[in-house]
Amino acid sequence: MDRSVEGGCLCGGLRYRLHEPPVRVGDCHCVDCRRASAAAFVTWGVVYRKDVEILSGDLRKVRYAARLRSFAACCATPLFFQDAQDSTTIDVTVVSLDHPERFAPEVAIWTEDRLPWVTIDPHRRTFLQARKLSRKLPGSRGE
Ligand SMILES: [Zn+2]
Ligand SMILES: [Zn+2]
């Protein structure tokens, strides 16, 4: 069965395919994600880097605070986040997927940075800073 999902940027110039759907999904309220997206928070999904295929277009990579953020070179849509160029896993902006409705966030992280007018679903697990994982993904450094 083909489990792949696709997404892309605002203008359609950059398209990507994930050969496996995101394994974990969470909202990040940290200041850096907010600034990088100019949004109140960002919903990220974790995938293995090997499962990410760029189908068209180019990425503009921005290194900031020792992290690597990738935007569509054509229209600057925020797409990916990783700890390092060679990181095992990569975070993808779930809302750049063609069907983000399938991938609801389970957690909210960095809620100590949350804007006061953002309400978090009380059913969601929250973390003041990074998510503490009881079980890391194989090969992952965690978040
Ligand atoms: Zn574009
Ligand atoms: Zn963040």
Side-chain angles (χ1 to χ4, degrees):
M1 193 182 90
D2 184 9
R3 291 159 47 82
S4 69
V5 292
E6 292 189 9
C9 66
L10 175 65
C11 78
L14 190 142
R15 294 287 303 165
Y16 66 84
R17 179 177 295 144
L18 307 179
H19 291 278
E20 289 288 331
V23 287
R24 287 198 309 264
V25 180
D27 291 336
C28 185
H29 294 259
C30 86
V31 173
D32 289 358
C33 285
R34 279 166 28 196
R35 282 275 178 168
S37 62
F41 57 91
V42 179
T43 306
W44 292 110
V46 181
V47 294
Y48 285 103
R49 191 163 53 91
K50 66 174 174 54
D51 291 329
V52 179
E53 181 186 358
I54 304 300
L55 302 173
S56 65
D58 293 308
L59 293 173
R60 168 150 187 230
K61 298 192 173 186
V62 175
R63 194 172 289 282
Y64 181 80
R67 306 292 177 80
L68 194 60
R69 293 177 187 267
S70 298
F71 301 80
C74 41
C75 64
T77 301
L79 296 172
F80 307 117
F81 172 94
Q82 57 204 105
D83 288 332
Q85 186 83 43
D86 62 349
S87 61
T88 308
T89 60
I90 193 166
D91 289 2
V92 55
T93 49
V94 163
V95 181
S96 69
L97 289 168
D98 294 338
H99 296 286
E101 67 278 6
R102 294 188 203 155
F103 304 102
E106 306 119 33
V107 301
I109 66 170
W110 287 97
T111 57
E112 69 178 15
D113 288 350
R114 177 184 63 88
L115 289 170
W117 42 263
V118 169
T119 305
I120 295 176
D121 182 337
H123 300 294
R124 198 155 295 161
R125 281 182 74 199
T126 62
F127 298 87
L128 284 174
Q129 297 184 348
R131 182 180 192 162
K132 301 284 184 289
L133 293 172
S134 51
R135 184 180 60 85
K136 284 188 180 178
L137 292 174
S140 153
R141 293 178 228 200
E143 287 149 305

mmCIF file with all atom_site columns, all heavy atoms in Angstrom, residues 42-60:
data_model
loop_
_atom_site.group_PDB
_atom_site.id
_atom_site.type_symbol
_atom_site.label_atom_id
_atom_site.label_alt_id
_atom_site.label_comp_id
_atom_site.label_asym_id
_atom_site.label_entity_id
_atom_site.label_seq_id
_atom_site.pdbx_PDB_ins_code
_atom_site.Cartn_x
_atom_site.Cartn_y
_atom_site.Cartn_z
_atom_site.occupancy
_atom_site.B_iso_or_equiv
_atom_site.pdbx_formal_charge
_atom_site.auth_seq_id
_atom_site.auth_comp_id
_atom_site.auth_asym_id
_atom_site.auth_atom_id
_atom_site.pdbx_PDB_model_num
ATOM 1   N N   . VAL A 1 42 ? 3.246  26.841 15.233 1.00 0.00 ? 42 VAL A N   1
ATOM 2   C CA  . VAL A 1 42 ? 3.435  26.046 14.020 1.00 0.00 ? 42 VAL A CA  1
ATOM 3   C C   . VAL A 1 42 ? 3.169  24.575 14.348 1.00 0.00 ? 42 VAL A C   1
ATOM 4   O O   . VAL A 1 42 ? 3.656  24.063 15.354 1.00 0.00 ? 42 VAL A O   1
ATOM 5   C CB  . VAL A 1 42 ? 4.871  26.184 13.466 1.00 0.00 ? 42 VAL A CB  1
ATOM 6   C CG1 . VAL A 1 42 ? 5.057  25.327 12.217 1.00 0.00 ? 42 VAL A CG1 1
ATOM 7   C CG2 . VAL A 1 42 ? 5.180  27.641 13.138 1.00 0.00 ? 42 VAL A CG2 1
ATOM 8   N N   . THR A 1 43 ? 2.392  23.920 13.509 1.00 0.00 ? 43 THR A N   1
ATOM 9   C CA  . THR A 1 43 ? 2.132  22.486 13.677 1.00 0.00 ? 43 THR A CA  1
ATOM 10  C C   . THR A 1 43 ? 3.171  21.711 12.867 1.00 0.00 ? 43 THR A C   1
ATOM 11  O O   . THR A 1 43 ? 3.228  21.838 11.641 1.00 0.00 ? 43 THR A O   1
ATOM 12  C CB  . THR A 1 43 ? 0.704  22.140 13.209 1.00 0.00 ? 43 THR A CB  1
ATOM 13  O OG1 . THR A 1 43 ? -0.220 22.996 13.888 1.00 0.00 ? 43 THR A OG1 1
ATOM 14  C CG2 . THR A 1 43 ? 0.379  20.684 13.508 1.00 0.00 ? 43 THR A CG2 1
ATOM 15  N N   . TRP A 1 44 ? 3.980  20.934 13.599 1.00 0.00 ? 44 TRP A N   1
ATOM 16  C CA  . TRP A 1 44 ? 5.065  20.179 12.968 1.00 0.00 ? 44 TRP A CA  1
ATOM 17  C C   . TRP A 1 44 ? 4.758  18.683 13.002 1.00 0.00 ? 44 TRP A C   1
ATOM 18  O O   . TRP A 1 44 ? 4.239  18.189 13.998 1.00 0.00 ? 44 TRP A O   1
ATOM 19  C CB  . TRP A 1 44 ? 6.377  20.381 13.730 1.00 0.00 ? 44 TRP A CB  1
ATOM 20  C CG  . TRP A 1 44 ? 6.975  21.747 13.670 1.00 0.00 ? 44 TRP A CG  1
ATOM 21  C CD1 . TRP A 1 44 ? 7.047  22.647 14.711 1.00 0.00 ? 44 TRP A CD1 1
ATOM 22  C CD2 . TRP A 1 44 ? 7.633  22.370 12.555 1.00 0.00 ? 44 TRP A CD2 1
ATOM 23  N NE1 . TRP A 1 44 ? 7.702  23.794 14.288 1.00 0.00 ? 44 TRP A NE1 1
ATOM 24  C CE2 . TRP A 1 44 ? 8.072  23.638 12.981 1.00 0.00 ? 44 TRP A CE2 1
ATOM 25  C CE3 . TRP A 1 44 ? 7.887  21.954 11.246 1.00 0.00 ? 44 TRP A CE3 1
ATOM 26  C CZ2 . TRP A 1 44 ? 8.754  24.517 12.130 1.00 0.00 ? 44 TRP A CZ2 1
ATOM 27  C CZ3 . TRP A 1 44 ? 8.557  22.829 10.405 1.00 0.00 ? 44 TRP A CZ3 1
ATOM 28  C CH2 . TRP A 1 44 ? 8.984  24.086 10.842 1.00 0.00 ? 44 TRP A CH2 1
ATOM 29  N N   . GLY A 1 45 ? 5.133  17.987 11.955 1.00 0.00 ? 45 GLY A N   1
ATOM 30  C CA  . GLY A 1 45 ? 5.073  16.528 11.928 1.00 0.00 ? 45 GLY A CA  1
ATOM 31  C C   . GLY A 1 45 ? 6.483  15.992 11.743 1.00 0.00 ? 45 GLY A C   1
ATOM 32  O O   . GLY A 1 45 ? 7.262  16.549 10.973 1.00 0.00 ? 45 GLY A O   1
ATOM 33  N N   . VAL A 1 46 ? 6.805  14.921 12.444 1.00 0.00 ? 46 VAL A N   1
ATOM 34  C CA  . VAL A 1 46 ? 8.150  14.343 12.368 1.00 0.00 ? 46 VAL A CA  1
ATOM 35  C C   . VAL A 1 46 ? 8.174  13.213 11.346 1.00 0.00 ? 46 VAL A C   1
ATOM 36  O O   . VAL A 1 46 ? 7.318  12.316 11.380 1.00 0.00 ? 46 VAL A O   1
ATOM 37  C CB  . VAL A 1 46 ? 8.582  13.795 13.749 1.00 0.00 ? 46 VAL A CB  1
ATOM 38  C CG1 . VAL A 1 46 ? 10.004 13.223 13.680 1.00 0.00 ? 46 VAL A CG1 1
ATOM 39  C CG2 . VAL A 1 46 ? 8.487  14.877 14.811 1.00 0.00 ? 46 VAL A CG2 1
ATOM 40  N N   . VAL A 1 47 ? 9.141  13.284 10.449 1.00 0.00 ? 47 VAL A N   1
ATOM 41  C CA  . VAL A 1 47 ? 9.336  12.208 9.468  1.00 0.00 ? 47 VAL A CA  1
ATOM 42  C C   . VAL A 1 47 ? 10.826 11.900 9.386  1.00 0.00 ? 47 VAL A C   1
ATOM 43  O O   . VAL A 1 47 ? 11.659 12.719 9.785  1.00 0.00 ? 47 VAL A O   1
ATOM 44  C CB  . VAL A 1 47 ? 8.826  12.599 8.053  1.00 0.00 ? 47 VAL A CB  1
ATOM 45  C CG1 . VAL A 1 47 ? 7.321  12.783 8.042  1.00 0.00 ? 47 VAL A CG1 1
ATOM 46  C CG2 . VAL A 1 47 ? 9.508  13.851 7.547  1.00 0.00 ? 47 VAL A CG2 1
ATOM 47  N N   . TYR A 1 48 ? 11.142 10.719 8.873  1.00 0.00 ? 48 TYR A N   1
ATOM 48  C CA  . TYR A 1 48 ? 12.547 10.420 8.622  1.00 0.00 ? 48 TYR A CA  1
ATOM 49  C C   . TYR A 1 48 ? 12.992 11.188 7.381  1.00 0.00 ? 48 TYR A C   1
ATOM 50  O O   . TYR A 1 48 ? 12.254 11.275 6.397  1.00 0.00 ? 48 TYR A O   1
ATOM 51  C CB  . TYR A 1 48 ? 12.760 8.916  8.423  1.00 0.00 ? 48 TYR A CB  1
ATOM 52  C CG  . TYR A 1 48 ? 12.700 8.160  9.717  1.00 0.00 ? 48 TYR A CG  1
ATOM 53  C CD1 . TYR A 1 48 ? 11.574 7.425  10.070 1.00 0.00 ? 48 TYR A CD1 1
ATOM 54  C CD2 . TYR A 1 48 ? 13.774 8.199  10.599 1.00 0.00 ? 48 TYR A CD2 1
ATOM 55  C CE1 . TYR A 1 48 ? 11.508 6.750  11.277 1.00 0.00 ? 48 TYR A CE1 1
ATOM 56  C CE2 . TYR A 1 48 ? 13.711 7.531  11.807 1.00 0.00 ? 48 TYR A CE2 1
ATOM 57  C CZ  . TYR A 1 48 ? 12.586 6.808  12.140 1.00 0.00 ? 48 TYR A CZ  1
ATOM 58  O OH  . TYR A 1 48 ? 12.519 6.148  13.331 1.00 0.00 ? 48 TYR A OH  1
ATOM 59  N N   . ARG A 1 49 ? 14.233 11.724 7.452  1.00 0.00 ? 49 ARG A N   1
ATOM 60  C CA  . ARG A 1 49 ? 14.732 12.532 6.337  1.00 0.00 ? 49 ARG A CA  1
ATOM 61  C C   . ARG A 1 49 ? 14.767 11.731 5.044  1.00 0.00 ? 49 ARG A C   1
ATOM 62  O O   . ARG A 1 49 ? 14.496 12.242 3.972  1.00 0.00 ? 49 ARG A O   1
ATOM 63  C CB  . ARG A 1 49 ? 16.132 13.071 6.681  1.00 0.00 ? 49 ARG A CB  1
ATOM 64  C CG  . ARG A 1 49 ? 16.647 14.143 5.722  1.00 0.00 ? 49 ARG A CG  1
ATOM 65  C CD  . ARG A 1 49 ? 17.815 14.920 6.322  1.00 0.00 ? 49 ARG A CD  1
ATOM 66  N NE  . ARG A 1 49 ? 18.865 14.034 6.790  1.00 0.00 ? 49 ARG A NE  1
ATOM 67  C CZ  . ARG A 1 49 ? 19.891 13.638 6.033  1.00 0.00 ? 49 ARG A CZ  1
ATOM 68  N NH1 . ARG A 1 49 ? 20.011 14.053 4.804  1.00 0.00 ? 49 ARG A NH1 1
ATOM 69  N NH2 . ARG A 1 49 ? 20.797 12.821 6.527  1.00 0.00 ? 49 ARG A NH2 1
ATOM 70  N N   . LYS A 1 50 ? 15.059 10.428 5.158  1.00 0.00 ? 50 LYS A N   1
ATOM 71  C CA  . LYS A 1 50 ? 15.134 9.577  3.961  1.00 0.00 ? 50 LYS A CA  1
ATOM 72  C C   . LYS A 1 50 ? 13.771 9.450  3.268  1.00 0.00 ? 50 LYS A C   1
ATOM 73  O O   . LYS A 1 50 ? 13.704 9.060  2.099  1.00 0.00 ? 50 LYS A O   1
ATOM 74  C CB  . LYS A 1 50 ? 15.668 8.185  4.336  1.00 0.00 ? 50 LYS A CB  1
ATOM 75  C CG  . LYS A 1 50 ? 14.724 7.387  5.235  1.00 0.00 ? 50 LYS A CG  1
ATOM 76  C CD  . LYS A 1 50 ? 15.228 5.969  5.454  1.00 0.00 ? 50 LYS A CD  1
ATOM 77  C CE  . LYS A 1 50 ? 14.388 5.191  6.456  1.00 0.00 ? 50 LYS A CE  1
ATOM 78  N NZ  . LYS A 1 50 ? 12.953 5.145  6.180  1.00 0.00 ? 50 LYS A NZ  1
ATOM 79  N N   . ASP A 1 51 ? 12.705 9.751  3.993  1.00 0.00 ? 51 ASP A N   1
ATOM 80  C CA  . ASP A 1 51 ? 11.363 9.630  3.417  1.00 0.00 ? 51 ASP A CA  1
ATOM 81  C C   . ASP A 1 51 ? 10.883 10.921 2.753  1.00 0.00 ? 51 ASP A C   1
ATOM 82  O O   . ASP A 1 51 ? 9.762  10.981 2.257  1.00 0.00 ? 51 ASP A O   1
ATOM 83  C CB  . ASP A 1 51 ? 10.358 9.225  4.500  1.00 0.00 ? 51 ASP A CB  1
ATOM 84  C CG  . ASP A 1 51 ? 10.579 7.801  4.970  1.00 0.00 ? 51 ASP A CG  1
ATOM 85  O OD1 . ASP A 1 51 ? 11.035 6.973  4.153  1.00 0.00 ? 51 ASP A OD1 1
ATOM 86  O OD2 . ASP A 1 51 ? 10.308 7.515  6.151  1.00 0.00 ? 51 ASP A OD2 1
ATOM 87  N N   . VAL A 1 52 ? 11.724 11.959 2.778  1.00 0.00 ? 52 VAL A N   1
ATOM 88  C CA  . VAL A 1 52 ? 11.340 13.241 2.178  1.00 0.00 ? 52 VAL A CA  1
ATOM 89  C C   . VAL A 1 52 ? 11.933 13.342 0.774  1.00 0.00 ? 52 VAL A C   1
ATOM 90  O O   . VAL A 1 52 ? 13.137 13.216 0.593  1.00 0.00 ? 52 VAL A O   1
ATOM 91  C CB  . VAL A 1 52 ? 11.853 14.429 3.027  1.00 0.00 ? 52 VAL A CB  1
ATOM 92  C CG1 . VAL A 1 52 ? 11.454 15.758 2.373  1.00 0.00 ? 52 VAL A CG1 1
ATOM 93  C CG2 . VAL A 1 52 ? 11.316 14.352 4.450  1.00 0.00 ? 52 VAL A CG2 1
ATOM 94  N N   . GLU A 1 53 ? 11.078 13.538 -0.198 1.00 0.00 ? 53 GLU A N   1
ATOM 95  C CA  . GLU A 1 53 ? 11.530 13.678 -1.581 1.00 0.00 ? 53 GLU A CA  1
ATOM 96  C C   . GLU A 1 53 ? 11.016 15.009 -2.131 1.00 0.00 ? 53 GLU A C   1
ATOM 97  O O   . GLU A 1 53 ? 9.814  15.289 -2.076 1.00 0.00 ? 53 GLU A O   1
ATOM 98  C CB  . GLU A 1 53 ? 10.981 12.516 -2.422 1.00 0.00 ? 53 GLU A CB  1
ATOM 99  C CG  . GLU A 1 53 ? 11.417 12.570 -3.869 1.00 0.00 ? 53 GLU A CG  1
ATOM 100 C CD  . GLU A 1 53 ? 10.746 11.500 -4.740 1.00 0.00 ? 53 GLU A CD  1
ATOM 101 O OE1 . GLU A 1 53 ? 9.968  10.675 -4.209 1.00 0.00 ? 53 GLU A OE1 1
ATOM 102 O OE2 . GLU A 1 53 ? 10.985 11.522 -5.952 1.00 0.00 ? 53 GLU A OE2 1
ATOM 103 N N   . ILE A 1 54 ? 11.946 15.821 -2.649 1.00 0.00 ? 54 ILE A N   1
ATOM 104 C CA  . ILE A 1 54 ? 11.546 17.076 -3.284 1.00 0.00 ? 54 ILE A CA  1
ATOM 105 C C   . ILE A 1 54 ? 11.209 16.758 -4.743 1.00 0.00 ? 54 ILE A C   1
ATOM 106 O O   . ILE A 1 54 ? 12.030 16.226 -5.483 1.00 0.00 ? 54 ILE A O   1
ATOM 107 C CB  . ILE A 1 54 ? 12.674 18.133 -3.213 1.00 0.00 ? 54 ILE A CB  1
ATOM 108 C CG1 . ILE A 1 54 ? 13.107 18.380 -1.765 1.00 0.00 ? 54 ILE A CG1 1
ATOM 109 C CG2 . ILE A 1 54 ? 12.220 19.440 -3.877 1.00 0.00 ? 54 ILE A CG2 1
ATOM 110 C CD1 . ILE A 1 54 ? 12.020 18.890 -0.852 1.00 0.00 ? 54 ILE A CD1 1
ATOM 111 N N   . LEU A 1 55 ? 9.989  17.044 -5.140 1.00 0.00 ? 55 LEU A N   1
ATOM 112 C CA  . LEU A 1 55 ? 9.531  16.700 -6.491 1.00 0.00 ? 55 LEU A CA  1
ATOM 113 C C   . LEU A 1 55 ? 9.809  17.829 -7.473 1.00 0.00 ? 55 LEU A C   1
ATOM 114 O O   . LEU A 1 55 ? 10.081 17.582 -8.651 1.00 0.00 ? 55 LEU A O   1
ATOM 115 C CB  . LEU A 1 55 ? 8.029  16.393 -6.471 1.00 0.00 ? 55 LEU A CB  1
ATOM 116 C CG  . LEU A 1 55 ? 7.594  15.264 -5.540 1.00 0.00 ? 55 LEU A CG  1
ATOM 117 C CD1 . LEU A 1 55 ? 6.072  15.184 -5.495 1.00 0.00 ? 55 LEU A CD1 1
ATOM 118 C CD2 . LEU A 1 55 ? 8.182  13.943 -5.981 1.00 0.00 ? 55 LEU A CD2 1
ATOM 119 N N   . SER A 1 56 ? 9.704  19.074 -7.023 1.00 0.00 ? 56 SER A N   1
ATOM 120 C CA  . SER A 1 56 ? 9.988  20.208 -7.905 1.00 0.00 ? 56 SER A CA  1
ATOM 121 C C   . SER A 1 56 ? 10.341 21.410 -7.049 1.00 0.00 ? 56 SER A C   1
ATOM 122 O O   . SER A 1 56 ? 9.963  21.479 -5.868 1.00 0.00 ? 56 SER A O   1
ATOM 123 C CB  . SER A 1 56 ? 8.772  20.535 -8.782 1.00 0.00 ? 56 SER A CB  1
ATOM 124 O OG  . SER A 1 56 ? 7.694  20.978 -7.974 1.00 0.00 ? 56 SER A OG  1
ATOM 125 N N   . GLY A 1 57 ? 11.061 22.347 -7.641 1.00 0.00 ? 57 GLY A N   1
ATOM 126 C CA  . GLY A 1 57 ? 11.410 23.577 -6.943 1.00 0.00 ? 57 GLY A CA  1
ATOM 127 C C   . GLY A 1 57 ? 12.665 23.427 -6.103 1.00 0.00 ? 57 GLY A C   1
ATOM 128 O O   . GLY A 1 57 ? 13.251 22.344 -6.008 1.00 0.00 ? 57 GLY A O   1
ATOM 129 N N   . ASP A 1 58 ? 13.052 24.532 -5.480 1.00 0.00 ? 58 ASP A N   1
ATOM 130 C CA  . ASP A 1 58 ? 14.269 24.568 -4.664 1.00 0.00 ? 58 ASP A CA  1
ATOM 131 C C   . ASP A 1 58 ? 13.936 25.046 -3.264 1.00 0.00 ? 58 ASP A C   1
ATOM 132 O O   . ASP A 1 58 ? 12.983 25.794 -3.067 1.00 0.00 ? 58 ASP A O   1
ATOM 133 C CB  . ASP A 1 58 ? 15.289 25.542 -5.274 1.00 0.00 ? 58 ASP A CB  1
ATOM 134 C CG  . ASP A 1 58 ? 15.812 25.041 -6.607 1.00 0.00 ? 58 ASP A CG  1
ATOM 135 O OD1 . ASP A 1 58 ? 16.269 23.883 -6.650 1.00 0.00 ? 58 ASP A OD1 1
ATOM 136 O OD2 . ASP A 1 58 ? 15.711 25.796 -7.585 1.00 0.00 ? 58 ASP A OD2 1
ATOM 137 N N   . LEU A 1 59 ? 14.793 24.608 -2.323 1.00 0.00 ? 59 LEU A N   1
ATOM 138 C CA  . LEU A 1 59 ? 14.648 25.046 -0.945 1.00 0.00 ? 59 LEU A CA  1
ATOM 139 C C   . LEU A 1 59 ? 15.601 26.199 -0.674 1.00 0.00 ? 59 LEU A C   1
ATOM 140 O O   . LEU A 1 59 ? 16.725 26.212 -1.161 1.00 0.00 ? 59 LEU A O   1
ATOM 141 C CB  . LEU A 1 59 ? 14.980 23.903 0.020  1.00 0.00 ? 59 LEU A CB  1
ATOM 142 C CG  . LEU A 1 59 ? 14.023 22.715 0.027  1.00 0.00 ? 59 LEU A CG  1
ATOM 143 C CD1 . LEU A 1 59 ? 14.595 21.611 0.910  1.00 0.00 ? 59 LEU A CD1 1
ATOM 144 C CD2 . LEU A 1 59 ? 12.647 23.143 0.545  1.00 0.00 ? 59 LEU A CD2 1
ATOM 145 N N   . ARG A 1 60 ? 15.144 27.146 0.103  1.00 0.00 ? 60 ARG A N   1
ATOM 146 C CA  . ARG A 1 60 ? 16.056 28.143 0.654  1.00 0.00 ? 60 ARG A CA  1
ATOM 147 C C   . ARG A 1 60 ? 16.287 27.764 2.107  1.00 0.00 ? 60 ARG A C   1
ATOM 148 O O   . ARG A 1 60 ? 15.348 27.737 2.905  1.00 0.00 ? 60 ARG A O   1
ATOM 149 C CB  . ARG A 1 60 ? 15.426 29.527 0.563  1.00 0.00 ? 60 ARG A CB  1
ATOM 150 C CG  . ARG A 1 60 ? 16.235 30.507 1.385  1.00 0.00 ? 60 ARG A CG  1
ATOM 151 C CD  . ARG A 1 60 ? 16.226 31.909 0.884  1.00 0.00 ? 60 ARG A CD  1
ATOM 152 N NE  . ARG A 1 60 ? 17.184 32.659 1.690  1.00 0.00 ? 60 ARG A NE  1
ATOM 153 C CZ  . ARG A 1 60 ? 16.920 33.815 2.276  1.00 0.00 ? 60 ARG A CZ  1
ATOM 154 N NH1 . ARG A 1 60 ? 15.745 34.373 2.120  1.00 0.00 ? 60 ARG A NH1 1
ATOM 155 N NH2 . ARG A 1 60 ? 17.835 34.420 2.992  1.00 0.00 ? 60 ARG A NH2 1
#
